[in-house]
Amino acid sequence: MKRCRRRTALWCVNQHISNTSSGQPLARLLATMRTDFALVLTAALLLDTVWRNNGEHASKGPCRAGFSQSFYSVLISRDVLQDLAIVKDTTVSSQKVKFDDCMGNEAVDFQSSDPFFSVQADGSIFAKGQGASLEEPVQFKLTARGPHAHVWETVVQLALIDPPSPQQNENEVTKEEGKVAERKERKEAFQAPPPVIMFSGSRLNSSKGLRRQKRDWVIPPINVAENSRGPFPQMLVSIRSDQDQDISIRYSITGVGADQPPNEVFNIDPVLGKMFVTKPLDREHRSSYHLRAHAVDMNGNQVENPIDLYIFVIDMNDNRPEFKNQVYNGSVDEGSKPGTPVMHVSAFDADDNTTANGMVRYRILSQMPHSPIPNMFTINSETGDIVTVAPGLDREKVSQYTIIVQATDMEGNLNFGLSNTATAIITVTDINDNPPMLTSRTFSGEVPENRVDVVVANLTVIDADQQHSPNWNAVYRIISGDPSGHFTIRTDPVSNDGMVTVVKPVDFEMNRAFMLTVVVSNQAHLASGIQSSLQSTAGVTISVQDVNEPPYFPTNPKHIRFEEGVPAGTSLTTFSASDPDRLQMQQTIRYSKLNDPADWLSINRTNGQIITTAMLDRESIYVKNNIYEATFLATDNGSPAASGTGTLQIYLIDINDNSPALIPKESQICERMNRNVNGVNITAADADTDPNAGPFVFELPNFPTSIRRNWTISRISGDYARLGLRYQVYLEPGVYEVPVIVSDSGNPPLSNRSVIKVKVCPCDENGDCTTLGAVAAAGLGTGAIISILICIIILLSMVLLFVVWIKRREKERQTKQLLIDPEDDVRDNILKYDEEGGGEEDQDYDLSQLQQPDSLEHIMSKPPGVRRVDERPIIPESQYPIRAVVPHPGDIGDFIHEGLRAADNDPTAPPYDSLLVFDYEGSGSTAGSVSSLNSSSTGDQDYDYLNDWGPRFKKLADMYGGGDDD
């Protein structure tokens, strides 16, 4: 123990653990260790690791395959490293890697990621050759592969240990004793500091220079249990530098959890080097922290190399397993054998799955219904796969099972583990294990003859399989009794019944009844081992009902051939019908005409003889492609009566009964024949067909003789000829009628004398008629043309004179005097002035001049007497009572009569003032009245300005501005 106390506290713990693992009792270890509380906690955590490594746990649970630790940190003495330089292959550590695959570790292969270090089958660490150097810490991944493709991994870290010098041990003992004394003085015996982690590195000595540089230690991970209840802050470890005796040291930590988010999870006393955790940790949020410890002097200069601190959060069982779904749906075919996979359920535990806290096990709590047995299914406790364990799944009895599945961690330990449940719904899917069965062995029906798409019988069937599935859908087949294919059986998609339907008309006279044999099956094949039932076959009897069938024409349509021109009364043929009802009914047939477009035919009512009533003409518009078509009706006397139609087609043979007609009827030709113009091409049209049409013969008649003297016809082909002037014959321009005789090729031939109008005109060098020539050809001479031109000139002159007269009249209307002569009596006349334009809507008048002025002072100052309110007084007036001014009369009629009476009694009114402007024109008028224009205070008014207003005011200027003569 004395030797241990000369080292750091953590190193002491490691030493005691090694001793314990080699056989020293735990009680002796705890008795020799110091009573520091944190040291005891650290020792307990490390002891737990040793127990797992050596398989000495007090209560062993079920075997769990894999490495005992996910991380191994092995410290190796320098003496072992020196041996590596001499020995080629050797074991470098007595500490072994613990592995168990729960099968005796047979055929387990260890593979290392470092080529110089490996692990042997017994777990010992092995160095390969002299290349294995530990000057720097070595870390490699170790992989274990089992015989069933199972793979496990762990990490192994190797580092050297430098034995401390005796002087360092004495200093450490002195320091440790001083701390113990100090703690005793403070009465903190049960709050001793945790293990101390020492910086290792170079140290500067002023007298002796640099000491040798020590190698960095590999610091074992610091384990902190999650969800700790504190108190906080809780000290984890004490960090110090062996230079703190010479200079003042400041300690700090960096990394995630210190100065990086999440911040201030860990902090450190910068003077004492004590590192604390400030709050409970959650492994599920973060399972480890990597911090770096720093030591600097007061000036911030680094005095030690940073050391790495690994803090691992120890998992606690604080999370229940959680199913991915609360309800799982699966299915299994009915009749499945035991061991058939059904479905898979899975639960996730947030705890460490390398420990029992996260190892989930499954079991079935209940099954509903219990039919046929309560335990139809089982579940794999590790994988969550549900399989069948018993036969007897029958969808027709139980179509769905509901299973409650429980997931428990702690490897399924119900006493210590946490549990959760989910529901698994298993649907038993249908297979075709039930053949369809007809409800009867015989069915019957009846069908009227000559009917189609009629359901004549309905076949019912039962099937226990799932409805509206291929295992339930029925398929019906007629296997005998219908060789001609008169019937088919369609499946009702809703009821699954078979509907016997007529697809081909049946004839009572041919078959009075049908005996069908029907078989039914499913759309899907029967499952293996299921035999078809005898009830899937039945007989169907179908009776045929006799009905009154309509008469029919045996030959329809009926074709006959006749020459056109057959006279009326000619018998063409007998178009008779037959009655299919020949067994039970004896009926009479009557005939009638249904459609005869040209009304050429008649039919005998009793025997159906066809007789012509008019001559047949092939060239008629009712004949198409030489065929004339008529429709007749045959009706029996049944109840009800039935009728049938027949069509008679008459092919008309052509005879030569149409003479040809000349084409064209008009043409033109040059007055002189030349090399470029030879004549007019002519042909003929004939309504007949070959051989009664072309080729045609064209010739000129003998009379009059001038025709053959001036004209000639030459043959071009069988249907064309050329009409032209004879050579050196000159005709005056004009229109000439040339008769031509056209004959066809009939036997006997028919001829036709046709006239063609030929315009003879002067032509240019290209043979085209000139404009003057075309006019001349129309029959007008030079004198007639000149006369037409003179008439056109005269007509244009008359139009010009009329336009000039209209303009002059318009000008006179514009210069018309406004007033009549002064000697005329204007009082008894109504003067019509010139046009006023387009109305008030087209004028921009200032209507304010016609409104009543706001001020009536010039009226109110007028001497008493009756007067108008629309003028100013110009001479002294006699005394009359003043009429009351009514600016807003209520009755317009009274207002007008009052103004008229005032005007009649007003002696100041001029004799020619016959138009009055009445009082009220609205508010806002800026003028008094129109009469105010000729009012003045002296009675004299200068009207000379009227001369400047243009000719329209000339009369006014003469009347009022006459000068001395007035």
Side-chain angles (χ1 to χ4, degrees):
M1 185 62 186
K2 180 178 179 181
R3 177 184 175 187
C4 177
R5 291 181 62 182
R6 295 172 63 89
R7 299 172 181 254
T8 64
L10 185 59
W11 174 245
C12 291
V13 173
N14 287 336
Q15 282 294 103
H16 285 290
I17 291 173
S18 301
N19 295 335
T20 302
S21 63
S22 61
Q24 185 175 358
L26 177 61
R28 183 182 301 172
L29 171 64
L30 295 176
T32 57
M33 291 178 59
R34 304 172 58 155
T35 59
D36 190 289
F37 176 79
L39 184 61
V40 173
L41 176 62
T42 305
L45 295 175
L46 293 175
L47 284 174
D48 179 70
T49 302
V50 173
W51 282 338
R52 287 183 295 177
N53 291 343
N54 295 277
E56 297 179 358
H57 201 285
S59 59
K60 294 184 179 180
C63 179
R64 180 173 63 87
F67 290 98
S68 61
Q69 295 178 216
S70 60
F71 181 84
Y72 293 90
S73 179
V74 181
L75 303 179
I76 301 175
S77 173
R78 182 171 293 276
D79 297 337
V80 177
L81 181 64
Q82 294 175 357
D83 294 338
L84 291 177
I86 302 173
V87 183
K88 183 176 181 181
D89 296 333
T90 183
T91 301
V92 299
S93 176
S94 61
Q95 183 176 353
K96 297 182 179 181
V97 176
K98 183 65 176 179
F99 176 80
D100 189 2
D101 66 347
C102 301
M103 299 175 62
N105 291 350
E106 295 181 359
V108 176
D109 181 28
F110 295 98
Q111 296 179 359
S112 172
S113 62
D114 193 317
F116 299 106
F117 295 95
S118 63
V119 175
Q120 295 181 338
D122 60 352
S124 60
I125 301 174
F126 189 78
K128 299 180 180 179
Q130 300 177 359
S133 175
L134 292 177
E135 293 297 331
E136 298 292 338
V138 174
Q139 181 172 309
F140 59 91
K141 182 173 68 174
L142 182 62
T143 304
R145 299 183 182 274
H148 300 290
H150 294 294
V151 178
W152 299 270
E153 293 182 349
T154 187
V155 177
V156 179
Q157 181 168 313
L158 306 178
L160 287 176
I161 301 175
D162 283 329
S165 63
Q167 182 179 0
Q168 289 176 339
N169 292 339
E170 292 176 0
N171 292 338
E172 291 176 2
V173 171
T174 303
K175 292 179 183 179
E176 200 69 29
E177 291 176 352
K179 292 181 181 179
V180 172
E182 183 179 357
R183 286 196 295 272
K184 288 182 179 179
E185 293 176 359
R186 296 180 181 179
K187 298 180 181 180
E188 297 177 352
F190 296 100
Q191 298 181 359
V196 179
I197 297 177
M198 295 291 295
F199 282 96
S200 63
S202 62
R203 183 177 180 181
L204 184 62
N205 192 321
S206 60
S207 59
K208 298 181 181 181
L210 288 174
R211 294 185 179 181
R212 70 180 180 86
Q213 182 177 356
K214 298 188 293 182
R215 298 176 180 86
D216 293 339
W217 288 4
V218 178
I219 307 301
I222 302 172
N223 296 322
V224 180
E226 68 171 333
N227 303 325
S228 175
R229 296 184 179 180
F232 295 100
Q234 178 181 347
M235 183 182 293
L236 298 180
V237 70
S238 179
I239 301 174
R240 60 177 296 271
S241 171
D242 57 0
Q243 300 188 40
D244 59 357
Q245 298 177 357
D246 303 329
I247 59 176
S248 297
I249 302 297
R250 292 294 181 265
Y251 303 98
S252 63
I253 55 176
T254 59
V256 176
D259 61 341
Q260 300 177 18
N263 300 79
E264 299 181 355
V265 176
F266 304 95
N267 58 26
I268 190 170
D269 189 327
V271 177
L272 300 179
K274 297 179 180 179
M275 190 176 74
F276 301 89
V277 59
T278 62
K279 58 183 179 181
L281 301 181
D282 186 2
R283 190 203 69 85
E284 286 71 39
H285 177 69
R286 192 176 185 87
S287 61
S288 64
Y289 297 86
H290 179 199
L291 304 178
R292 294 178 69 88
H294 307 271
V296 298
D297 58 14
M298 298 301 294
N299 296 325
N301 298 321
Q302 177 178 314
V303 299
E304 298 284 2
N305 292 331
I307 61 174
D308 293 322
L309 301 177
Y310 293 93
I311 302 172
F312 290 98
V313 183
I314 300 176
D315 182 47
M316 305 295 289
N317 191 19
D318 57 344
N319 291 279
R320 292 181 179 273
E322 295 291 340
F323 283 94
K324 293 182 179 179
N325 302 310
Q326 277 304 112
V327 178
Y328 290 84
N329 292 282
S331 62
V332 61
D333 290 340
E334 61 176 330
S336 297
K337 297 180 180 180
T340 302
V342 178
M343 60 189 303
H344 172 76
V345 298
S346 61
F348 171 76
D349 196 319
D351 294 325
D352 188 0
N353 58 3
T354 63
T355 67
N357 297 335
M359 293 183 179
V360 180
R361 298 294 183 265
Y362 304 92
R363 70 191 189 104
I364 295 178
L365 294 182
S366 65
Q367 168 193 308
M368 290 298 293
H370 292 168
S371 177
I373 61 173
N375 300 319
M376 290 292 296
F377 306 94
T378 186
I379 187 170
N380 189 307
S381 61
E382 294 186 3
T383 62
D385 294 325
I386 299 176
V387 297
T388 61
V389 293
L393 290 174
D394 190 351
R395 189 203 67 84
E396 285 72 39
K397 295 181 179 179
V398 179
S399 61
Q400 191 176 82
Y401 290 90
T402 301
I403 294 177
I404 305 300
V405 180
Q406 184 185 53
T408 307
D409 58 15
M410 297 298 292
E411 296 183 292
N413 191 322
L414 299 178
N415 296 325
F416 303 102
L418 302 177
S419 301
N420 213 336
T421 60
T423 301
I425 298 177
I426 301 175
T427 301
V428 181
T429 56
D430 182 52
I431 64 172
N432 194 11
D433 57 346
N434 293 280
M437 295 183 296
L438 291 164
T439 58
S440 177
R441 298 300 302 274
T442 59
F443 296 89
S444 62
E446 58 183 17
V447 56
E449 63 174 335
N450 300 323
R451 294 283 300 276
V452 294
D453 293 331
V454 177
V455 177
V456 297
N458 195 60
L459 312 181
T460 56
V461 69
I462 57 174
D463 195 327
D465 292 322
Q466 184 177 357
Q467 293 187 1
H468 306 292
S469 69
N471 299 331
W472 179 81
N473 295 336
V475 178
Y476 299 88
R477 291 182 298 111
I478 300 174
I479 59 176
S480 65
D482 185 22
S484 300
H486 291 279
F487 303 94
T488 187
I489 304 180
R490 300 169 182 171
T491 303
D492 189 328
V494 177
S495 63
N496 213 25
D497 293 343
M499 301 178 293
V500 182
T501 307
V502 182
V503 295
K504 184 178 180 181
V506 295
D507 189 356
F508 176 81
E509 285 71 26
M510 297 294 297
N511 295 288
R512 298 189 179 186
F514 292 87
M515 300 295 295
L516 308 179
T517 302
V518 177
V519 64
V520 61
S521 60
N522 286 127
Q523 184 177 347
H525 295 290
L526 286 174
S528 177
I530 305 299
Q531 298 296 328
S532 177
S533 173
L534 295 176
Q535 291 181 289
S536 61
T537 304
V540 181
T541 302
I542 301 176
S543 301
V544 181
Q545 296 178 344
D546 187 22
V547 297
N548 183 23
E549 299 177 76
Y552 67 95
F553 292 87
T555 304
N556 192 12
K558 185 174 183 179
H559 302 275
I560 60 175
R561 294 172 62 90
F562 271 89
E563 285 188 351
E564 64 173 332
V566 174
T570 303
S571 177
L572 300 181
T573 185
T574 299
F575 196 25
S576 60
S578 300
D579 191 351
D581 299 316
R582 60 183 179 274
L583 294 181
Q584 297 181 354
M585 303 179 185
Q586 299 295 330
Q587 300 175 135
T588 303
I589 299 177
R590 295 291 180 265
Y591 301 94
S592 62
K593 187 169 61 174
L594 186 62
N595 183 28
D596 184 10
D599 198 17
W600 288 343
L601 306 174
S602 66
I603 187 170
N604 187 286
R605 182 173 179 80
T606 58
N607 59 13
Q609 185 180 11
I610 306 297
I611 300 174
T612 61
T613 59
M615 186 178 64
L616 305 183
D617 185 6
R618 191 197 66 86
E619 288 75 32
S620 172
I621 60 174
Y622 302 105
V623 177
K624 307 297 181 183
N625 298 325
N626 300 332
I627 295 176
Y628 179 75
E629 187 174 277
T631 305
F632 300 92
L633 187 67
T635 306
D636 61 19
N637 59 347
S639 179
S643 60
T645 59
T647 301
L648 178 65
Q649 292 182 344
I650 306 174
Y651 185 88
L652 297 178
I653 302 173
D654 183 45
I655 63 174
N656 193 15
D657 57 347
N658 292 278
S659 58
L662 186 65
I663 299 175
K665 298 297 183 180
E666 295 181 354
S667 185
Q668 65 181 16
I669 194 172
C670 295
E671 58 184 356
R672 293 182 182 274
M673 296 294 293
N674 54 43
R675 296 179 180 178
N676 297 327
V677 180
N678 296 325
V680 178
N681 291 337
I682 59 176
T683 185
D686 196 329
D688 295 325
T689 60
D690 291 337
N692 298 318
F696 301 103
V697 177
F698 302 91
E699 56 184 350
L700 296 175
N702 295 325
F703 297 97
T705 58
S706 60
I707 299 301
R708 287 183 175 269
R709 184 173 58 251
N710 297 329
W711 302 91
T712 181
I713 289 180
S714 60
R715 179 183 177 87
I716 298 177
S717 64
D719 295 329
Y720 291 90
R722 179 173 293 110
L723 174 65
L725 290 173
R726 289 190 177 275
Y727 186 67
Q728 295 181 351
V729 173
Y730 171 78
L731 294 179
E732 289 288 336
V735 178
Y736 296 87
E737 293 183 354
V738 180
V740 178
I741 299 175
V742 183
S743 302
D744 59 19
S745 299
N747 187 16
L750 295 180
S751 300
N752 184 22
R753 179 187 176 98
S754 300
V755 175
I756 179 173
K757 293 182 178 181
V758 181
K759 295 180 180 179
V760 179
C761 60
C763 297
D764 55 15
E765 58 185 6
N766 296 323
D768 298 327
C769 287
T770 60
T771 303
L772 184 60
V775 176
L780 298 178
T782 304
I785 295 174
I786 295 175
S787 301
I788 292 174
L789 294 177
I790 293 175
C791 291
I792 292 174
I793 294 174
I794 294 174
L795 181 60
L796 292 177
S797 301
M798 293 176 63
V799 172
L800 181 61
L801 292 175
F802 179 76
V803 171
V804 171
W805 178 78
I806 291 297
K807 291 292 184 180
R808 183 175 182 180
R809 180 178 175 84
E810 182 68 20
K811 185 175 181 181
E812 291 178 355
R813 291 175 61 183
Q814 293 178 355
T815 58
K816 185 178 180 180
Q817 298 179 358
L818 295 177
L819 299 176
I820 62 176
D821 293 336
E823 59 272 11
D824 295 335
D825 187 5
V826 299
R827 290 174 296 176
D828 297 331
N829 291 276
I830 298 176
L831 300 181
K832 178 181 179 182
Y833 294 92
D834 211 345
E835 299 294 330
E836 296 183 356
E840 293 182 357
E841 293 81 358
D842 298 336
Q843 306 299 326
D844 188 12
Y845 295 113
D846 184 7
L847 300 179
S848 63
Q849 301 300 323
L850 302 178
Q851 295 177 345
Q852 175 72 25
D854 293 337
S855 176
L856 300 177
E857 294 178 357
H858 68 288
I859 298 174
M860 300 304 298
S861 62
K862 192 174 183 179
V866 179
R867 66 186 68 190
R868 304 195 319 275
V869 297
D870 59 333
E871 66 163 352
R872 296 177 184 274
I874 55 176
I875 58 174
E877 299 175 346
S878 59
Q879 298 299 323
Y880 289 94
I882 299 176
R883 178 175 60 86
V885 178
V886 185
H888 299 284
D891 189 348
I892 299 299
D894 296 339
F895 175 75
I896 295 175
H897 290 298
E898 183 66 19
L900 180 59
R901 187 183 65 82
D904 294 337
N905 297 327
D906 188 1
T908 64
Y912 41 79
D913 189 7
S914 59
L915 298 177
L916 297 180
V917 177
F918 291 95
D919 191 13
Y920 181 73
E921 292 291 342
S923 61
S925 177
T926 57
S929 66
V930 179
S931 299
S932 63
L933 293 175
N934 56 4
S935 301
S936 65
S937 59
T938 60
D940 295 332
Q941 179 68 33
D942 187 8
Y943 295 100
D944 292 338
Y945 59 86
L946 295 177
N947 294 321
D948 300 331
W949 286 10
R952 292 179 178 271
F953 295 90
K954 184 175 182 303
K955 291 294 183 180
L956 288 177
D958 294 340
M959 292 173 61
Y960 291 92
D964 296 337
D965 296 336
D966 294 342

